[in-house]
Amino acid sequence: MKLAAIDIGSNAVRCQISSVLHQNGKVIFKRVEYIRYAIRLGEDVFSNGLISDRKADKFVKLLHAFQLLLEVHEVDHCMICATSAMRSSRNAPEILQRVREVLGMEIQVIDGVMEADLINRVIASFLDERNYLHIDVGGGSTEFNIYVNREKKASQSFEQGSIRHMQGRDSEVLWNRMRLWIEENAKKYHLSRAIGTGGNINKIFELAHKTTGKPIFRKQIEEVAGRIAAMSMEERINELLLNPDRADVILPAAEIYLSAMKWAKLESMLVPNVGLKDGMLHALYEQHYAPSERFIISSIT
């Protein structure tokens, strides 16, 4: 069987198609197709509150392309979720209705709580007995979760992300709210390590030449951020091979990760390279094939 997840973020839209395999009592999602397109809905929304007609047209064309891809792969079930930019856009209802009428595709606009819950489905398997602060930085929002013995104890979503921060659409009040939430929970739950998700921390991990499964240290994140900051946009693209839509938001995102780690007094972070799309695939499987069972689920490419 094949499942698909389409994650409509503030910076990019991602489509992942995976085959579901069963191996030694485990359910495995094997990636057979993955496409990421940086449409940057948040660039419009966080500036003027609306998605422009030009981007709305491109968005519908992109979803049509994904729809055809799903048909070619004969996907059994698909979930489509939109996050911060679509939550904040005043003309989102009209665009969602247009997609529904033209393509027959239903988009769920999810809140920060559901976004965190979906990511939680894949994060738990990477944790041990230590107490963790999970930091997920997107283009328009950041989700924090506290895990104790692999169990989520607290969570909070803030409308603060890499694009908002880059555009200066945040405030001192919001930063103080984030700091206080983390400081209070770090003290309450005696946190000992961070776990980071999101495209920017994945790229920082790669640039630090870290080994999969090993933690990256705060000092190493600072070193990578310092190296990027010393480069022009052209150098980031040509020398570090960053996509243009990554080259400008990676430092604002790094500042959010580093600030959260400092507030929690954490020195190391796991970076498992999973995210919302993976949680969506797991939710689809549970919904259609395993409503009352618990599975050990892993993802491979």
Side-chain angles (χ1 to χ4, degrees):
M1 73 188 75
K2 289 182 182 177
L3 302 177
I6 299 177
D7 168 13
I8 303 167
S10 300
N11 191 31
V13 179
R14 300 168 179 83
C15 175
Q16 179 167 320
I17 300 172
S18 292
S19 292
V20 180
L21 309 175
H22 296 84
Q23 189 179 92
N24 300 323
K26 294 182 180 180
V27 177
I28 298 174
F29 294 93
K30 185 180 188 303
R31 183 191 296 180
V32 296
E33 196 79 67
Y34 175 71
I35 298 174
R36 176 185 182 275
Y37 183 79
I39 195 167
R40 288 215 153 171
L41 299 177
E43 203 168 47
D44 287 353
V45 176
F46 306 145
S47 295
N48 52 45
L50 295 166
I51 296 171
S52 67
D53 290 341
R54 176 178 170 274
K55 283 202 176 170
D57 290 344
K58 185 177 287 189
F59 177 66
V60 175
K61 290 178 182 177
L62 180 62
L63 287 183
H64 187 206
F66 287 161
Q67 184 181 56
L68 294 174
L69 187 63
L70 267 57
E71 290 177 5
V72 170
H73 276 282
E74 299 181 341
V75 167
D76 296 287
H77 299 286
C78 175
M79 178 182 285
I80 311 173
C81 292
T83 55
S84 182
M86 202 65 78
R87 286 197 298 263
S88 303
S89 176
R90 295 198 303 273
N91 62 341
E94 290 85 355
I95 295 172
L96 298 177
Q97 181 63 26
R98 180 179 169 187
V99 170
R100 193 178 299 116
E101 292 176 353
V102 174
L103 301 175
M105 300 175 83
E106 194 68 39
I107 300 173
Q108 300 179 54
V109 181
I110 60 175
D111 60 19
V113 174
M114 183 173 179
E115 186 174 352
D117 284 344
L118 286 169
I119 297 172
N120 176 60
R121 294 171 184 266
V122 288
I123 287 295
S125 62
F126 294 93
L127 306 178
D128 53 27
E129 68 281 356
R130 279 175 281 202
N131 297 352
Y132 283 84
L133 169 65
H134 172 221
I135 310 165
D136 181 70
V137 179
S141 66
T142 295
E143 278 68 49
F144 297 120
N145 299 285
I146 305 292
Y147 294 93
V148 176
N149 275 335
R150 299 182 179 86
E151 182 181 349
K152 187 163 72 171
K153 294 294 187 179
S155 66
Q156 185 66 49
S157 177
F158 293 91
E159 291 297 292
Q160 161 69 300
S162 59
I163 295 179
R164 288 185 196 267
H165 189 31
M166 178 181 67
Q167 292 182 337
R169 299 283 167 180
D170 47 15
S171 67
E172 186 176 346
V173 172
L174 181 59
W175 277 93
N176 283 334
R177 283 178 51 217
M178 291 167 61
R179 177 180 57 81
L180 288 173
W181 190 89
I182 289 176
E183 287 178 347
E184 289 174 1
N185 283 280
K187 184 177 181 181
K188 179 178 180 180
Y189 293 106
H190 308 288
L191 301 178
S192 56
R193 177 174 280 180
I195 183 165
T197 53
N200 288 295
I201 195 62
N202 292 341
K203 180 56 67 173
I204 289 171
F205 189 84
E206 178 186 323
L207 291 172
H209 305 293
K210 299 297 295 183
T211 302
T212 301
K214 299 294 184 181
I216 187 172
F217 294 92
R218 194 169 84 192
K219 183 179 179 181
Q220 293 172 315
I221 299 174
E222 291 170 344
E223 289 171 351
V224 171
R227 180 154 55 100
I228 296 171
M231 293 179 161
S232 66
M233 287 296 296
E234 185 175 354
E235 288 171 331
R236 297 178 194 180
I237 294 169
N238 293 321
E239 295 182 24
L240 298 182
L241 303 180
L242 297 181
N243 292 329
D245 64 286
R246 180 76 66 210
D248 59 353
V249 298
I250 192 167
L251 287 179
E255 185 175 357
I256 298 173
Y257 287 109
L258 286 169
S259 296
M261 292 180 75
K262 289 175 184 175
W263 296 332
K265 298 180 180 178
L266 301 176
E267 297 299 328
S268 65
M269 173 190 282
L270 293 180
V271 182
N273 196 17
V274 294
L276 178 60
K277 63 186 184 329
D278 302 283
M280 291 163 63
L281 291 171
H282 290 191
L284 267 178
Y285 183 84
E286 291 176 3
Q287 177 184 347
H288 293 283
Y289 299 105
S292 60
E293 300 178 65
R294 296 185 64 85
F295 290 85
I296 299 172
I297 304 177
S298 61
S299 300
I300 61 175
T301 57

